[in-house]
Amino acid sequence: MSRGKATCALVFAAVALMALLPAQAWAHPLLDRAQRLFEEAEFQGALDVYAQAEQATDLSRDDLVTLYRQRALVHHAMGNTSELELDVFRLATLEPNLTLDASVPPVVRRAFDEAKGRVGDPVHVEATSARMPDGVRVTARVQNDLAAIVQAVRVTTRVDGGEWRAVAASTASVAAAEGANVEYFAEAIGPGGAVVAWAGTRMQPLRFGAAAAEGAAGAGGGGGGGGGGPVDTGEGGGVSAWPFIIGGVLVAGAIVLVVLLTGGPSDDTTVSYEGWALAP
């Protein structure tokens, strides 16, 4: 194999390796920073950074799950029993079917198991719609939020395939003529802007009107907890872009490293970077 072909093979191998890495291996930068502080026994510093993360606007649901799980370990290390119990209760409210592995201290696992016994079903959203004189009213209700995680509710609607309109409220009134097709979805927003539960999505909205299924007009429900993969939430929260950004940087770094180690391409080899771009 020529030197140029060997270089290309190594580049493609590096790209393939990055493609195999799970997105969830990369947490939000604030969560990474807090974890490093925890590992350095800077416990109060870690708690301060977790508090910053809760005030952010770009956490995903998975980020919030990580935050509660890891902060519970910090509280355990500091002997903060009540704070530990509160965080595992929040974690159970989001993910009652989660199983903590053996890397988690037995005290924390027992506290989480007790919390799961008190929760039952995860926090979720139910959304309904009803005809009113000049249109349709959409109402969203948060259910089973025993740990008071939800900080706001957002209802998003559109009429006859028009522009989506979001309101930060549990009820939205939509002006629509008789027979118009009204689509909608509702989201429960938690700390850090994370969408913790939802009914319908932008890609698969609930419907009222001509396009609604017979006998199911306006009925909806659902929520988080592994409910169908990534969700296009439109504004804030949802799936974090950090896995794609960091992954893109690592791929680019791998290419540069391979070129440096192999002494660069040979005279008869052209390496094209056209088409490479970080995901938005």
Side-chain angles (χ1 to χ4, degrees):
M1 180 183 293
S2 68
R3 184 177 182 183
K5 290 181 179 179
T7 299
C8 291
L10 287 172
V11 169
F12 283 117
V15 172
L17 177 61
M18 295 304 171
L20 292 174
L21 292 176
Q24 295 307 322
W26 309 107
H28 189 282
L30 286 175
L31 302 186
D32 281 341
R33 180 182 170 195
Q35 178 63 18
R36 288 195 299 270
L37 289 170
F38 170 62
E39 293 170 355
E40 295 168 1
E42 297 288 344
F43 300 139
Q44 187 56 53
L47 292 182
D48 292 342
V49 175
Y50 282 130
Q52 292 179 36
E54 287 183 307
Q55 298 303 313
T57 59
D58 59 347
L59 292 190
S60 70
R61 191 178 190 279
D62 287 339
D63 287 334
L64 197 57
V65 168
T66 298
L67 188 155
Y68 291 146
R69 180 188 183 278
Q70 296 305 114
R71 191 167 63 185
L73 299 179
V74 179
H75 286 310
H76 170 65
M78 298 178 71
N80 300 334
T81 302
S82 60
E83 290 85 353
L84 162 62
E85 292 176 349
L86 180 55
D87 268 344
V88 295
F89 188 51
R90 289 165 173 154
L91 181 60
T93 299
L94 279 178
E95 294 287 353
N97 296 321
L98 181 67
T99 299
L100 300 181
D101 59 35
S103 66
V104 176
V107 172
V108 179
R109 295 204 304 271
R110 285 196 298 269
F112 182 59
D113 288 340
E114 292 173 2
K116 290 195 293 184
R118 296 159 55 195
V119 169
D121 294 330
V123 57
H124 59 279
V125 175
E126 294 179 356
T128 58
S129 56
R131 172 61 62 185
M132 61 181 190
D134 298 322
V136 173
R137 178 181 293 109
V138 177
T139 303
R141 297 180 179 86
V142 177
Q143 304 288 343
N144 216 44
D145 184 19
L146 303 182
I149 293 173
V150 176
Q151 299 179 341
V153 175
R154 183 168 61 222
V155 175
T156 306
T157 61
R158 71 175 177 181
V159 180
D160 290 333
E163 181 183 355
W164 286 106
R165 299 184 181 277
V167 295
S170 59
T171 301
S173 297
V174 185
E178 187 74 29
N181 178 30
V182 177
E183 297 175 303
Y184 62 95
F185 59 96
E187 299 164 309
I189 313 301
V195 177
V196 298
W198 55 87
T201 69
R202 186 181 294 267
M203 300 303 296
Q204 294 182 311
L206 303 175
R207 292 179 173 86
F208 180 95
E214 183 69 22
V231 177
D232 180 2
T233 60
E235 302 177 30
V239 179
S240 173
W242 287 108
F244 304 102
I245 295 173
I246 298 174
V249 172
L250 287 175
V251 169
I255 294 173
V256 173
L257 180 61
V258 168
V259 172
L260 290 175
L261 291 176
T262 57
S266 62
D267 294 339
D268 60 349
T269 302
T270 300
V271 179
S272 174
Y273 297 94
E274 184 177 358
W276 288 93
L278 295 182

